[in-house]
Amino acid sequence: MTEKFVIAHMYPDLMNLYGDRGNLLCLQKRIRGYGYDCEIRQLSLNDLIDFPNIDMIFMGGGSDREQGLVYNDLLTKVENLLQEIENGLPALCICGAYQLLGQYYKAVDGTMLKGLGFFDLYTEGRPGRLIGNILIESEIDGQKTSVVGFENHGGRTYLCDKKLKPFGTVVRGHGNNGEDYSEGLWYKNLIGTYLHGPLLPKNPRIADFFIKAMAARRGLPITNILDDTIENFAHQQVKNKILPNIT
Amino acid sequence: MSLRLIIAVIVGKLAIYFSRIAGNQGTDFPGQLARKIYPDILTALAGHIQNGIIIVTGTNGKTTTSNMIAEIFRENASTYVHNRAGANMLTGITTAFIKATSLSGQRTFDYALLETDEANVPLLLQEVEATMLIITNFFRDQLDRYGELDHTINLIKNAVQGSRLELILNADDPLQSDFASHTGLKCWFYGFGDTIYDELTSADSREGRYCVFCGHVLSYERYHYAQLGQYHCPNCANHNAALNFTGHSLKMDPGIHFTINDLGLQSTYQGFYNAYNILAAVSVGKRLGINDDVIQRAIFNYQPRAGRMEKFMIAGKPCLLVLVKNPTGLNQSLSMLLLDPAEKSLFFALNDNAADGRDISWIWDADVETVARPEARISKIICSGQRSGDIALRIKYAGYSTDDIRIESRLQEGIALAIAEEGGTAFILCTYTALFSCRQIMLKMQKQSGGIAQTESRQQQKGGGE
Ligand SMILES: [Zn+2]
């Protein structure tokens, strides 16, 4: 029987902006390419997360109102979730979901939305959205890797704890706050980021980072190599667009 | 009468003339130039509109709706200024006024019919004293350009407050349900009663599934089309507004037949979304007091225009040019492929200029999986445009065989590949800024192949209306 990975798609009806579900399509197809099966389990408000049988968590962005509903629901699950992340559960949190991991989100009008407080970071909304193609540099297994995407956020996120590692360094674009060249957060097997696009299809090495982490936790091997010709072409095409003078 | 205004009009008219000679569509530049010379030119020229300035906005269907209103005006022998599709920002609207007016800028018209993007409505209202605002629907499409949909809608609500506008609203769109209470303006509602095409469960689009008053998930009794339908909020009193203009007895065979209040209508257009466009246009005509006979004739006579879904014959092969610009439109275009039982080739040019939307992630929200269905019978897909890689990736992850995906970013070479494929029709899909080039390429190929100049345009089934 083929081994099956289960990815929990948190609040698909509330938190799914800008094609984020493409990340799940990507993970699923790649996992199948590696010879395993993959189930996307959709979890809504009030559904319990069956952690022992979940290999990864995915959560996208939503509007402020929807984020409020999600926050209240997640509060009831906080303890377990944090523990699992400490234990190395792979998780990808995009945009609004990433902001929720911090201490708080302060909206432009001054309204304070509490965060889950997993990490010592906070977000402040300011007038003027940070929108556009973005290129960052990240490091996977000691190898520098370029990551491309599209960002669209009004919130500026600041990592307070200097020990917190960003997902990458901004080469072109805004990133966490448009000031300190940091983008996102990387903690164990969790990545929080502002990159839509969606993120994973054009950045197969990030997709494989999650898949390898899932496999490693289950003691399963990843042996074959997938044909990423189209992925690499699309990646390079965006890169050329962002850095037209550099080849 | 200001000399400066006259100069601005003349310079604008010259710019229109010269950009036409240069082969450009010349829709924004002349207006831009004239606005530099006389910044209040739009306000000044709009002052010569006698009966009313009508703004048409919304995500989908505003071009078709405003073209239908224009047809009603024409049938009614009313004079009007109307901006071209695609030239719907202030500069394009200014160009339309310059084009229509006399050299002295003094010509009067009965109506101005101004189609504009949602986010542009507040700016437009600052310059012209509009009398009527029609909203077609709110779907996600311009999210990437203006932030979230909620934000754009709020901008409109705030901009119309305190004006003398009459609003013509879609009662079936839950995102419009708080316009009346929020703005205090006179509102007229159009919508559909029960139809035999309604679905009683689920809808693919998530927009508007939440109550705009309290945030609770809405309960739908029936869906007419996407999120448009009969709904109520289980948590507060929010439900569809009472209708002033009710569409009923809808039949699509596939041409549209239905009745609005007691006026019977027929159209060669197809698709539920076009029934909504007709309903919106007819509501405006009725509100303006135009005769039922006139409205009926206008809708009956109205023929779709070129460039929307245009048919070419190249070297004996039928080719269909289709504009796609958002997930809803792409879904419709792809489901159209399923209706054609023959083997076919597909070309898709994805650009990411401002007019296309810089964020191309919307292709992941569409059901591109359709292309991988065996009954779609697509022998080859050519991916083109500035983001050829992204559309190729989307198609790969939709489950289509990578052996049959070709990437050719150049439009001309890509179209040639699609046409060289054996089998039935070549479907040429493209986003807005690739449309003009693709059309020129196909016209040229058609001419060279000696194909009859068969530019019989068909708007039917076209995605989303624009
Ligand atoms: Zn409610």
Side-chain angles (χ1 to χ4, degrees), chain B residues 317-330:
Chain B
K317 189 185 186 74
C319 307
L320 210 54
L321 175 63
V322 187
L323 171 68
V324 289
K325 59 169 204 171
N326 57 27
T328 315
L330 181 54

Side-chain angles (χ1 to χ4, degrees), chain A residues 121-135:
Chain A
L121 58 91
Y122 66 92
T123 305
E124 285 186 355
R126 301 237 184 85
R129 296 181 72 82
L130 306 178
I131 305 181
N133 290 307
I134 173 169
L135 170 66

Side-chain angles (χ1 to χ4, degrees), chain A residues 12-23 25-27 29-30 62-66 69 129 131-133 150 152 196-198 200-202 204 227-231 233-234 237-238 241, chain B residues 140 143-148 150 206 209-212 214-215 352-353 358-362 364-369 385-390 392-394 396-400 402 405 407 409:
Chain A
D13 47 345
L14 294 166
M15 306 284 272
N16 181 21
L17 275 180
Y18 311 113
D20 286 337
R21 79 184 180 104
N23 291 314
L25 288 178
C26 173
L27 287 169
K29 191 172 169 76
R30 293 185 78 84
S63 72
D64 288 353
R65 178 178 59 231
E66 289 155 3
L69 293 172
R129 296 181 72 82
I131 305 181
N133 290 307
F150 193 93
N152 182 350
H196 300 284
L200 299 181
K202 275 198 294 288
D227 175 4
D228 284 338
T229 316
I230 299 180
E231 284 81 350
F233 177 87
Q237 191 174 47
V238 183
K241 194 179 177 74
Chain B
R140 105 166 247 189
L143 277 179
D144 57 312
R145 274 182 275 170
Y146 304 111
E148 289 165 30
D150 291 350
R206 61 185 286 279
R209 284 183 38 209
Y210 302 92
C211 174
V212 289
C214 73
D352 65 350
N353 296 311
R358 301 251 184 229
D359 181 5
I360 50 83
S361 62
W362 61 270
W364 292 86
D365 291 325
D367 299 323
V368 180
E369 283 65 26
Q386 295 159 344
R387 298 298 288 265
S388 52
D390 282 273
L393 257 193
R394 176 68 188 98
K396 172 181 176 177
Y397 282 100
Y400 187 79
T402 47
I405 298 177
I407 298 181
S409 305

